[in-house]
Short mmCIF file of all heavy atoms in Angstrom, two decimals:
data_model
loop_
_atom_site.label_atom_id
_atom_site.label_comp_id
_atom_site.label_asym_id
_atom_site.label_seq_id
_atom_site.Cartn_x
_atom_site.Cartn_y
_atom_site.Cartn_z
N LEU E 95 109.92 117.41 94.95
CA LEU E 95 111.08 117.55 95.81
C LEU E 95 110.83 118.52 96.96
O LEU E 95 111.52 118.49 97.98
CB LEU E 95 112.29 118.00 94.99
CG LEU E 95 112.91 116.93 94.09
CD1 LEU E 95 114.15 117.47 93.40
CD2 LEU E 95 113.25 115.66 94.86
N ALA E 96 109.83 119.38 96.80
CA ALA E 96 109.49 120.30 97.89
C ALA E 96 109.06 119.54 99.14
O ALA E 96 109.21 120.04 100.26
CB ALA E 96 108.38 121.25 97.44
N ASP E 97 108.56 118.32 98.96
CA ASP E 97 108.15 117.51 100.11
C ASP E 97 109.35 116.99 100.90
O ASP E 97 109.17 116.44 101.99
CB ASP E 97 107.29 116.33 99.64
CG ASP E 97 105.95 116.78 99.11
OD1 ASP E 97 105.12 117.24 99.92
OD2 ASP E 97 105.73 116.72 97.88
N PHE E 98 110.54 117.15 100.36
CA PHE E 98 111.76 116.73 101.05
C PHE E 98 112.56 117.94 101.51
O PHE E 98 113.76 117.86 101.72
CB PHE E 98 112.60 115.85 100.12
CG PHE E 98 111.88 114.61 99.65
CD1 PHE E 98 111.06 114.67 98.53
CD2 PHE E 98 111.99 113.42 100.34
CE1 PHE E 98 110.37 113.55 98.09
CE2 PHE E 98 111.30 112.29 99.91
CZ PHE E 98 110.49 112.35 98.79
N GLY E 99 111.88 119.07 101.65
CA GLY E 99 112.53 120.32 102.02
C GLY E 99 113.37 120.17 103.28
O GLY E 99 112.95 119.55 104.26
N GLY E 100 114.56 120.73 103.25
CA GLY E 100 115.48 120.64 104.38
C GLY E 100 116.39 119.44 104.34
O GLY E 100 117.32 119.34 105.15
N LYS E 101 116.14 118.51 103.40
CA LYS E 101 116.99 117.33 103.25
C LYS E 101 117.86 117.45 102.00
O LYS E 101 117.41 117.99 100.97
CB LYS E 101 116.15 116.06 103.09
CG LYS E 101 115.56 115.50 104.35
CD LYS E 101 114.91 114.14 104.06
CE LYS E 101 114.34 113.52 105.32
NZ LYS E 101 113.78 112.17 105.05
N THR E 102 119.07 116.94 102.09
CA THR E 102 119.86 116.69 100.90
C THR E 102 119.31 115.41 100.28
O THR E 102 119.08 114.42 100.98
CB THR E 102 121.35 116.52 101.25
OG1 THR E 102 121.83 117.75 101.82
CG2 THR E 102 122.18 116.17 100.02
N VAL E 103 119.08 115.42 98.96
CA VAL E 103 118.42 114.30 98.29
C VAL E 103 119.30 113.76 97.16
O VAL E 103 119.80 114.53 96.34
CB VAL E 103 117.05 114.73 97.72
CG1 VAL E 103 116.48 113.65 96.79
CG2 VAL E 103 116.07 115.01 98.85
N LEU E 104 119.48 112.44 97.16
CA LEU E 104 120.09 111.77 96.02
C LEU E 104 118.93 111.19 95.22
O LEU E 104 118.35 110.17 95.59
CB LEU E 104 121.04 110.66 96.47
CG LEU E 104 121.90 110.05 95.35
CD1 LEU E 104 123.03 111.01 94.96
CD2 LEU E 104 122.50 108.72 95.78
N LEU E 105 118.55 111.88 94.14
CA LEU E 105 117.41 111.47 93.32
C LEU E 105 117.90 110.54 92.21
O LEU E 105 118.76 110.91 91.41
CB LEU E 105 116.74 112.69 92.71
CG LEU E 105 115.57 112.42 91.75
CD1 LEU E 105 114.38 111.87 92.52
CD2 LEU E 105 115.19 113.68 91.00
N ASN E 106 117.34 109.34 92.16
CA ASN E 106 117.75 108.33 91.19
C ASN E 106 116.53 107.84 90.42
O ASN E 106 115.50 107.53 91.01
CB ASN E 106 118.43 107.17 91.92
CG ASN E 106 118.80 106.03 91.00
OD1 ASN E 106 118.00 105.15 90.72
ND2 ASN E 106 120.04 106.03 90.53
N LEU E 107 116.63 107.79 89.09
CA LEU E 107 115.56 107.23 88.27
C LEU E 107 115.98 105.84 87.80
O LEU E 107 117.10 105.66 87.30
CB LEU E 107 115.29 108.11 87.05
CG LEU E 107 114.91 109.58 87.29
CD1 LEU E 107 114.43 110.22 85.99
CD2 LEU E 107 113.87 109.72 88.38
N TRP E 108 115.05 104.88 87.93
CA TRP E 108 115.38 103.51 87.57
C TRP E 108 114.15 102.80 87.00
O TRP E 108 113.03 103.27 87.12
CB TRP E 108 115.90 102.75 88.79
CG TRP E 108 114.86 102.48 89.86
CD1 TRP E 108 114.38 103.37 90.78
CD2 TRP E 108 114.18 101.25 90.10
NE1 TRP E 108 113.43 102.77 91.58
CE2 TRP E 108 113.29 101.47 91.19
CE3 TRP E 108 114.23 99.99 89.49
CZ2 TRP E 108 112.48 100.47 91.70
CZ3 TRP E 108 113.41 98.99 90.00
CH2 TRP E 108 112.55 99.23 91.09
N ALA E 109 114.40 101.67 86.34
CA ALA E 109 113.32 100.84 85.81
C ALA E 109 113.73 99.38 85.91
O ALA E 109 114.92 99.05 85.90
CB ALA E 109 113.05 101.20 84.34
N THR E 110 112.76 98.48 86.01
CA THR E 110 113.08 97.06 86.18
C THR E 110 113.73 96.46 84.94
O THR E 110 114.45 95.47 85.04
CB THR E 110 111.81 96.26 86.52
OG1 THR E 110 110.85 96.41 85.47
CG2 THR E 110 111.20 96.72 87.83
N TRP E 111 113.46 97.04 83.75
CA TRP E 111 114.04 96.49 82.53
C TRP E 111 115.46 97.01 82.29
O TRP E 111 116.14 96.56 81.37
CB TRP E 111 113.16 96.84 81.33
CG TRP E 111 112.74 98.27 81.25
CD1 TRP E 111 111.55 98.80 81.64
CD2 TRP E 111 113.52 99.37 80.76
NE1 TRP E 111 111.53 100.16 81.43
CE2 TRP E 111 112.73 100.53 80.89
CE3 TRP E 111 114.80 99.49 80.23
CZ2 TRP E 111 113.18 101.79 80.51
CZ3 TRP E 111 115.25 100.75 79.85
CH2 TRP E 111 114.44 101.88 80.00
N CYS E 112 115.92 97.95 83.10
CA CYS E 112 117.25 98.54 82.96
C CYS E 112 118.24 97.75 83.80
O CYS E 112 118.23 97.81 85.03
CB CYS E 112 117.20 100.00 83.40
SG CYS E 112 118.80 100.78 83.68
N VAL E 113 119.12 96.98 83.13
CA VAL E 113 120.04 96.10 83.85
C VAL E 113 120.97 96.86 84.79
O VAL E 113 121.14 96.48 85.96
CB VAL E 113 120.84 95.23 82.86
CG1 VAL E 113 121.91 94.42 83.60
CG2 VAL E 113 119.90 94.30 82.11
N PRO E 114 121.61 97.96 84.35
CA PRO E 114 122.46 98.70 85.30
C PRO E 114 121.68 99.23 86.50
O PRO E 114 122.22 99.28 87.61
CB PRO E 114 123.01 99.85 84.45
CG PRO E 114 122.92 99.39 83.05
CD PRO E 114 121.69 98.52 82.99
N CYS E 115 120.43 99.62 86.28
CA CYS E 115 119.59 100.08 87.39
C CYS E 115 119.39 98.97 88.41
O CYS E 115 119.53 99.18 89.63
CB CYS E 115 118.22 100.53 86.89
SG CYS E 115 118.22 101.81 85.63
N ARG E 116 119.04 97.80 87.91
CA ARG E 116 118.79 96.66 88.79
C ARG E 116 120.02 96.33 89.62
O ARG E 116 119.93 96.00 90.81
CB ARG E 116 118.37 95.44 87.98
CG ARG E 116 117.03 95.59 87.27
CD ARG E 116 116.78 94.44 86.29
NE ARG E 116 116.62 93.18 86.97
CZ ARG E 116 115.45 92.65 87.31
NH1 ARG E 116 114.32 93.29 87.04
NH2 ARG E 116 115.37 91.49 87.92
N GLU E 117 121.19 96.44 88.99
CA GLU E 117 122.43 96.09 89.67
C GLU E 117 122.79 97.08 90.78
O GLU E 117 123.41 96.70 91.77
CB GLU E 117 123.56 95.99 88.65
CG GLU E 117 123.41 94.80 87.71
CD GLU E 117 124.46 94.77 86.61
OE1 GLU E 117 125.17 95.80 86.45
OE2 GLU E 117 124.58 93.74 85.93
N GLU E 118 122.41 98.36 90.61
CA GLU E 118 122.81 99.34 91.62
C GLU E 118 121.77 99.54 92.72
O GLU E 118 122.07 100.18 93.73
CB GLU E 118 123.14 100.68 90.98
CG GLU E 118 121.98 101.52 90.55
CD GLU E 118 122.39 102.94 90.12
OE1 GLU E 118 123.58 103.28 90.25
OE2 GLU E 118 121.51 103.67 89.66
N MET E 119 120.57 99.01 92.57
CA MET E 119 119.54 99.23 93.59
C MET E 119 119.94 98.73 94.98
O MET E 119 119.71 99.42 95.98
CB MET E 119 118.23 98.60 93.14
CG MET E 119 117.52 99.36 92.02
SD MET E 119 117.16 101.08 92.44
CE MET E 119 115.90 100.83 93.69
N PRO E 120 120.54 97.53 95.11
CA PRO E 120 120.96 97.11 96.46
C PRO E 120 121.97 98.07 97.08
O PRO E 120 121.95 98.29 98.30
CB PRO E 120 121.57 95.72 96.21
CG PRO E 120 120.87 95.23 94.99
CD PRO E 120 120.71 96.45 94.12
N ALA E 121 122.84 98.67 96.26
CA ALA E 121 123.82 99.62 96.79
C ALA E 121 123.14 100.91 97.23
O ALA E 121 123.51 101.50 98.26
CB ALA E 121 124.89 99.92 95.74
N LEU E 122 122.16 101.37 96.47
CA LEU E 122 121.40 102.56 96.88
C LEU E 122 120.65 102.27 98.19
O LEU E 122 120.57 103.12 99.07
CB LEU E 122 120.40 102.95 95.79
CG LEU E 122 120.99 103.63 94.56
CD1 LEU E 122 119.96 103.65 93.43
CD2 LEU E 122 121.44 105.06 94.88
N ASN E 123 120.12 101.05 98.31
CA ASN E 123 119.44 100.65 99.53
C ASN E 123 120.40 100.68 100.72
O ASN E 123 120.06 101.17 101.80
CB ASN E 123 118.88 99.24 99.35
CG ASN E 123 118.02 98.81 100.52
OD1 ASN E 123 116.91 99.28 100.71
ND2 ASN E 123 118.53 97.86 101.32
N ALA E 124 121.62 100.18 100.50
CA ALA E 124 122.63 100.17 101.57
C ALA E 124 123.04 101.58 101.96
O ALA E 124 123.28 101.87 103.13
CB ALA E 124 123.84 99.36 101.12
N LEU E 125 123.13 102.48 100.98
CA LEU E 125 123.47 103.87 101.28
C LEU E 125 122.38 104.51 102.12
O LEU E 125 122.67 105.23 103.09
CB LEU E 125 123.66 104.66 99.98
CG LEU E 125 124.00 106.14 100.15
CD1 LEU E 125 125.32 106.33 100.90
CD2 LEU E 125 124.06 106.84 98.78
N GLN E 126 121.12 104.27 101.76
CA GLN E 126 120.02 104.80 102.56
C GLN E 126 120.05 104.22 103.97
O GLN E 126 119.82 104.94 104.95
CB GLN E 126 118.68 104.49 101.89
CG GLN E 126 117.46 104.87 102.70
CD GLN E 126 117.33 106.36 102.97
OE1 GLN E 126 117.85 107.18 102.22
NE2 GLN E 126 116.66 106.71 104.05
N GLN E 127 120.35 102.94 104.07
CA GLN E 127 120.39 102.28 105.38
C GLN E 127 121.46 102.90 106.27
O GLN E 127 121.25 103.10 107.47
CB GLN E 127 120.65 100.79 105.19
CG GLN E 127 120.56 99.97 106.47
CD GLN E 127 120.78 98.50 106.20
OE1 GLN E 127 121.75 98.10 105.56
NE2 GLN E 127 119.86 97.67 106.66
N SER E 128 122.63 103.22 105.69
CA SER E 128 123.74 103.71 106.49
C SER E 128 123.73 105.23 106.67
O SER E 128 124.18 105.73 107.70
CB SER E 128 125.08 103.30 105.86
OG SER E 128 125.24 103.90 104.58
N ALA E 129 123.22 105.96 105.67
CA ALA E 129 123.32 107.42 105.73
C ALA E 129 121.98 108.14 105.82
O ALA E 129 121.95 109.36 106.05
CB ALA E 129 124.08 107.93 104.49
N GLY E 130 120.88 107.42 105.62
CA GLY E 130 119.57 108.06 105.66
C GLY E 130 119.28 108.67 107.02
O GLY E 130 119.56 108.07 108.06
N SER E 131 118.73 109.88 107.02
CA SER E 131 118.45 110.59 108.27
C SER E 131 117.50 111.73 107.97
O SER E 131 116.98 111.84 106.85
CB SER E 131 119.75 111.15 108.86
OG SER E 131 120.26 112.19 108.02
N ASP E 132 117.29 112.59 108.96
CA ASP E 132 116.45 113.76 108.72
C ASP E 132 117.18 114.80 107.87
O ASP E 132 116.61 115.81 107.47
CB ASP E 132 116.00 114.39 110.03
CG ASP E 132 117.17 114.82 110.92
OD1 ASP E 132 118.33 114.49 110.61
OD2 ASP E 132 116.92 115.50 111.93
N LYS E 133 118.46 114.51 107.55
CA LYS E 133 119.25 115.41 106.72
C LYS E 133 119.50 114.87 105.31
O LYS E 133 119.91 115.61 104.43
CB LYS E 133 120.60 115.69 107.38
CG LYS E 133 120.51 116.44 108.69
CD LYS E 133 121.90 116.70 109.25
CE LYS E 133 121.83 117.47 110.56
NZ LYS E 133 123.19 117.72 111.12
N PHE E 134 119.25 113.58 105.10
CA PHE E 134 119.59 112.96 103.81
C PHE E 134 118.65 111.81 103.50
O PHE E 134 118.29 111.02 104.38
CB PHE E 134 121.03 112.44 103.81
CG PHE E 134 121.39 111.65 102.59
CD1 PHE E 134 121.67 112.29 101.39
CD2 PHE E 134 121.43 110.26 102.62
CE1 PHE E 134 121.97 111.57 100.24
CE2 PHE E 134 121.74 109.53 101.49
CZ PHE E 134 122.02 110.19 100.30
N GLU E 135 118.26 111.70 102.21
CA GLU E 135 117.47 110.56 101.75
C GLU E 135 117.81 110.22 100.30
O GLU E 135 117.99 111.11 99.47
CB GLU E 135 115.98 110.83 101.87
CG GLU E 135 115.12 109.63 101.46
CD GLU E 135 113.64 109.79 101.73
OE1 GLU E 135 113.27 110.72 102.47
OE2 GLU E 135 112.86 108.97 101.21
N VAL E 136 117.90 108.92 100.05
CA VAL E 136 117.95 108.43 98.67
C VAL E 136 116.51 108.33 98.19
O VAL E 136 115.70 107.59 98.77
CB VAL E 136 118.62 107.04 98.59
CG1 VAL E 136 118.57 106.53 97.15
CG2 VAL E 136 120.06 107.10 99.09
N VAL E 137 116.18 109.08 97.15
CA VAL E 137 114.83 109.05 96.57
C VAL E 137 114.93 108.38 95.22
O VAL E 137 115.28 109.00 94.22
CB VAL E 137 114.24 110.47 96.46
CG1 VAL E 137 112.86 110.43 95.80
CG2 VAL E 137 114.16 111.13 97.83
N ALA E 138 114.67 107.07 95.20
CA ALA E 138 114.77 106.28 93.97
C ALA E 138 113.39 106.17 93.35
O ALA E 138 112.49 105.54 93.92
CB ALA E 138 115.34 104.89 94.28
N VAL E 139 113.20 106.80 92.18
CA VAL E 139 111.90 106.86 91.53
C VAL E 139 111.85 105.86 90.37
O VAL E 139 112.62 105.98 89.41
CB VAL E 139 111.61 108.28 91.00
CG1 VAL E 139 110.24 108.33 90.32
CG2 VAL E 139 111.67 109.30 92.14
N ASN E 140 110.97 104.89 90.49
CA ASN E 140 110.80 103.90 89.42
C ASN E 140 109.93 104.48 88.31
O ASN E 140 108.92 105.12 88.57
CB ASN E 140 110.14 102.64 89.98
CG ASN E 140 109.79 101.65 88.90
OD1 ASN E 140 108.67 101.64 88.39
ND2 ASN E 140 110.73 100.81 88.52
N ILE E 141 110.32 104.26 87.04
CA ILE E 141 109.56 104.80 85.92
C ILE E 141 109.02 103.72 84.99
O ILE E 141 108.75 103.98 83.81
CB ILE E 141 110.37 105.86 85.14
CG1 ILE E 141 111.62 105.25 84.50
CG2 ILE E 141 110.73 107.03 86.03
CD1 ILE E 141 112.33 106.21 83.53
N ASP E 142 108.85 102.49 85.50
CA ASP E 142 108.15 101.47 84.72
C ASP E 142 106.73 101.96 84.40
O ASP E 142 106.08 102.58 85.25
CB ASP E 142 108.01 100.18 85.52
CG ASP E 142 109.28 99.35 85.50
OD1 ASP E 142 110.35 99.87 85.88
OD2 ASP E 142 109.19 98.18 85.13
N ILE E 143 106.26 101.65 83.20
CA ILE E 143 104.85 101.93 82.90
C ILE E 143 103.99 100.85 83.54
O ILE E 143 104.49 99.83 84.02
CB ILE E 143 104.60 101.99 81.38
CG1 ILE E 143 104.90 100.64 80.73
CG2 ILE E 143 105.41 103.11 80.74
CD1 ILE E 143 104.45 100.56 79.28
#
Side-chain angles (χ1 to χ4, degrees):
L95 287 184
D97 292 290
F98 301 86
K101 282 187 178 183
T102 298
V103 169
L104 189 75
L105 177 69
N106 176 274
L107 302 190
W108 69 282
T110 59
W111 48 261
C112 166
V113 174
C115 304
R116 294 170 67 95
E117 292 175 348
E118 77 171 355
M119 287 302 291
L122 285 166
N123 187 72
L125 179 62
Q126 174 63 25
Q127 187 178 51
S128 64
S131 68
D132 59 350
K133 295 182 179 180
F134 173 77
E135 183 172 347
V136 176
V137 178
V139 180
N140 173 267
I141 63 171
D142 280 56
I143 63 170

